Amino acid sequence: MKHQNSGPDQKNKDSHFVSDFSSLIQGLDSATSDEFTLKDGDKIAVIGGGPAGSFFTYFTLKMAHMLGRDIDITIYEPKNFLGKGPVGCNHCGGVISELMVQSLAVEGINIPASVVQRGIHSYQLYTERGDVHIQTPAQEKTIASVYRSGGPSDHTILDKDSFDNFLLQAAIREGATHVSRAVDRVTLIDGKPVLYSGEEALIRADLVVGAFGVNGKRTPTFEEMDFSYRSPTVTKTSIAEIALDPKVISERFGNSIHLFLLPIKGIKFAAMIPKTYYVNLCMIGRKLDRERVKEFLHHPKVRQLFPEGELEKLSCMCLPFMNIRAPSKPFTDRVVMIGDAGSTRLYKDGIGAAYFMAKSAAKTALIHGVGEKHFRENFMPDYRSLIIDNRFGSFLFWFTDLFREYGLLTSAMLRVVKKESGNNTDEDKILSSILWDMFTGNERYKDVFYRAIRPKLIWKMTVSTLKQVFGR
């Protein structure tokens, strides 16, 4: 996968994704220290060692070193991210945008080839009215497929590293301590939070960072702290792995994500992501169950991709939950929630959202303070920005539902995308770039929305729809 530096065409990217720690620290508040200022020897406990927890730890320690502060950070994560099957699984399709890859490189986190399962350069979109190939609108907008764990239970060839393990090790190299224990309760003693595993007190911390997911068997409770934190609203998804010969994957799936917008009740959309020895199936919808997954797998549009009999070889399947609405109160004195425990991107780019919110929390804690007022003034604006952006995303996916359900609109969309594929300039590939950015998470939904209501695109769709009505 080719890595390129950000160019002028990326000027609209969220500024949080490309920042220099030196300039960040130059803006250090001159406010006097108080009881909520992190000092030498203070302890931070991070509950969860996935991307959000590892990003927060890495950024905080990096800034602390530049400020000359000695901060002690312990990550509590019982999972083994190199483990196969449920012991290491993070219930994720494992897609990383090229923008994310570039942003991490700016931070000094260079993702090695040993982590990337396959570089993705295009989408193949399947509908009831036909199919269309959507190439990346610009050469630097490629994405990567990874595993968040050691792979499915029957995976015997461990020639690729886990992305989550890679990030956790980066945080450890920066100076963090990893403790393989589950935290199930946080209480307040003498003004500071104390973490428990069962009846055992693990640590009395100056700051607790909740970076746990929504699928843990032992989700930590903060009831005794009484700061009105409520778990995120979730929807059910489906994640499955289908074992195939690498040659078959290359021939039939190539370097494309295969996206399905089919009018199957209860399924919003589904994607098949090629990796090295498996094809990962991700489905999002309402009330998903095994029967609904089975119905999808036996649809003719899906079956045509697989050799006879190969589709039945599901290595594993689960029905995990996904955060679709953030808690209204994600912090209090000495506690802040990030990642899936807080605000994340709707349906896509959870890793990018973890990066964004982890950096915001790290900057707030180290530069401003760990009191509720510090998080409200400095962290909450970024938290709300994701919530607002997700509202634009909900509207866009509502339109996607219309295009999926109504054949006339489906045909009009396909006609426009196919016509755009013959154009040479990115400016003429409006709908193609919108679909690409919606399903990769490479752009904010707000930016995609404003491109979707451009008069030029509305005119294209109107003309295409009329041609369908009059049979031309």
Side-chain angles (χ1 to χ4, degrees):
M1 186 172 60
K2 182 168 63 175
H3 296 176
Q4 299 182 8
N5 293 325
S6 301
D9 63 316
Q10 292 181 325
K11 62 183 179 181
N12 292 324
K13 299 291 190 293
D14 197 310
S15 61
H16 289 273
F17 279 359
V18 182
S19 64
D20 181 355
F21 278 109
S22 297
S23 62
L24 192 65
I25 291 171
Q26 287 174 7
L28 182 64
D29 281 358
S30 58
T32 56
S33 298
D34 60 22
E35 62 175 316
F36 296 113
T37 300
L38 289 176
K39 298 173 284 293
D40 283 352
D42 279 356
K43 299 180 183 296
I44 298 177
V46 179
I47 308 174
S54 293
F55 281 143
F56 172 86
T57 303
Y58 179 87
F59 296 147
T60 301
L61 289 172
K62 190 178 184 77
M63 285 190 287
H65 295 158
M66 297 180 75
L67 287 168
R69 289 193 207 167
D70 182 17
I71 304 296
D72 185 320
I73 302 185
T74 302
I75 300 173
Y76 292 92
E77 175 54 69
K79 279 188 178 179
N80 172 16
F81 293 132
L82 290 177
K84 297 182 292 182
V87 297
C89 183
N90 247 333
H91 310 288
C92 176
V95 174
I96 307 174
S97 71
E98 176 67 8
L99 176 61
M100 187 75 260
V101 175
Q102 293 176 2
S103 299
L104 292 180
V106 171
E107 313 290 5
I109 305 175
N110 295 294
I111 301 176
S114 60
V115 169
V116 178
Q117 291 280 328
R118 187 177 294 265
I120 303 294
H121 308 295
S122 61
Y123 268 86
Q124 185 72 25
L125 178 62
Y126 300 87
T127 74
E128 286 282 22
R129 293 298 185 95
D131 312 328
V132 67
H133 188 75
I134 303 174
Q135 193 72 25
T136 171
Q139 287 304 309
E140 73 274 10
K141 287 187 176 181
T142 54
I143 57 183
S145 65
V146 300
Y147 271 126
R148 304 281 303 279
S149 67
S153 300
D154 62 354
H155 189 27
T156 58
I157 305 174
L158 298 176
D159 58 347
K160 296 286 185 179
D161 193 8
S162 151
F163 179 73
D164 284 23
N165 182 67
F166 165 73
L167 289 183
L168 179 59
Q169 295 307 313
I172 292 172
R173 286 193 297 272
E174 202 66 30
T177 299
H178 171 218
V179 175
S180 186
R181 295 287 298 274
V183 175
D184 49 27
R185 182 164 58 97
V186 181
T187 189
L188 199 64
I189 298 179
D190 296 331
K192 292 188 178 182
V194 178
L195 277 61
Y196 288 85
S197 181
E199 296 302 315
E200 181 185 353
L202 299 175
I203 189 174
R204 182 170 179 262
D206 298 280
L207 171 65
V208 172
V209 179
F212 45 87
V214 293
N215 288 288
K217 293 181 180 179
R218 297 172 64 184
T219 301
T221 62
F222 293 80
E223 294 176 358
E224 294 178 52
M225 295 196 66
D226 191 26
F227 71 100
S228 302
Y229 173 74
R230 297 293 180 269
S231 298
T233 302
V234 298
T235 189
K236 188 171 286 188
T237 63
S238 174
I239 307 290
E241 299 284 350
I242 303 170
L244 287 172
D245 185 277
K247 185 178 179 180
V248 172
I249 294 175
S250 296
E251 290 175 350
R252 292 178 176 257
F253 292 87
N255 294 90
S256 299
I257 288 181
H258 295 254
L259 181 68
F260 300 85
L261 294 179
L262 301 172
I264 301 176
K265 186 178 179 180
I267 299 177
K268 183 174 287 289
F269 64 86
M272 287 189 168
I273 306 160
K275 296 189 175 176
T276 306
Y277 300 96
Y278 297 83
V279 172
N280 176 273
L281 168 62
C282 295
M283 297 173 61
I284 294 174
R286 293 183 178 275
K287 298 181 180 179
L288 281 177
D289 55 27
R290 292 182 180 273
E291 288 303 313
R292 195 76 67 205
V293 175
K294 185 177 179 181
E295 180 183 356
F296 169 79
L297 289 173
H298 285 83
H299 192 283
K301 289 283 185 179
V302 179
R303 294 196 69 86
Q304 69 180 0
L305 283 168
F306 292 86
E308 188 68 29
E310 294 291 337
L311 188 54
E312 309 303 327
K313 297 179 180 178
L314 285 179
S315 296
C316 62
M317 191 182 92
C318 60
L319 298 167
F321 292 105
M322 172 184 285
N323 177 339
I324 58 171
R325 188 174 298 118
S328 59
K329 183 77 181 299
F331 53 77
T332 188
D333 290 339
R334 302 190 184 279
V335 176
V336 63
M337 303 295 179
I338 60 175
D340 282 348
S343 180
T344 187
R345 290 289 299 280
L346 180 67
Y347 299 139
K348 291 290 176 177
D349 195 32
I351 294 173
Y355 168 92
F356 175 56
M357 294 313 304
K359 177 176 281 189
S360 178
K363 181 181 74 171
T364 300
L366 198 63
I367 293 180
H368 302 286
V370 297
E372 181 173 333
K373 66 175 183 177
H374 301 112
F375 289 119
R376 181 182 299 109
E377 293 171 1
N378 303 283
F379 174 80
M380 195 62 176
D382 292 331
Y383 188 86
R384 284 201 186 106
S385 75
L386 270 182
I387 294 174
I388 293 170
D389 195 57
N390 285 341
R391 291 172 184 165
F392 284 96
S394 294
F395 195 70
L396 288 168
F397 280 108
W398 178 76
F399 266 110
T400 302
D401 290 342
L402 292 180
F403 283 102
R404 186 188 70 243
E405 294 292 339
Y406 296 99
L408 185 67
L409 292 176
T410 304
S411 297
M413 175 187 68
L414 292 173
R415 181 187 289 266
V416 171
V417 174
K418 288 177 180 178
K419 188 173 181 179
E420 287 181 348
S421 66
N423 297 325
N424 294 322
T425 63
D426 294 339
E427 178 63 26
D428 291 326
K429 298 179 180 180
I430 304 174
L431 184 55
S432 301
S433 66
I434 286 171
L435 292 172
W436 175 268
D437 289 330
M438 269 193 66
F439 292 109
T440 61
N442 212 47
E443 290 274 6
R444 294 180 298 178
Y445 288 129
K446 181 179 179 180
D447 295 335
V448 175
F449 172 80
Y450 284 122
R451 280 155 50 204
I453 61 174
R454 288 175 59 183
K456 186 175 181 179
L457 178 58
I458 293 173
W459 173 250
K460 280 183 176 183
M461 286 299 302
T462 301
V463 170
S464 183
T465 303
L466 290 173
K467 287 182 176 180
Q468 295 298 319
V469 171
F470 293 105
R472 292 180 56 185

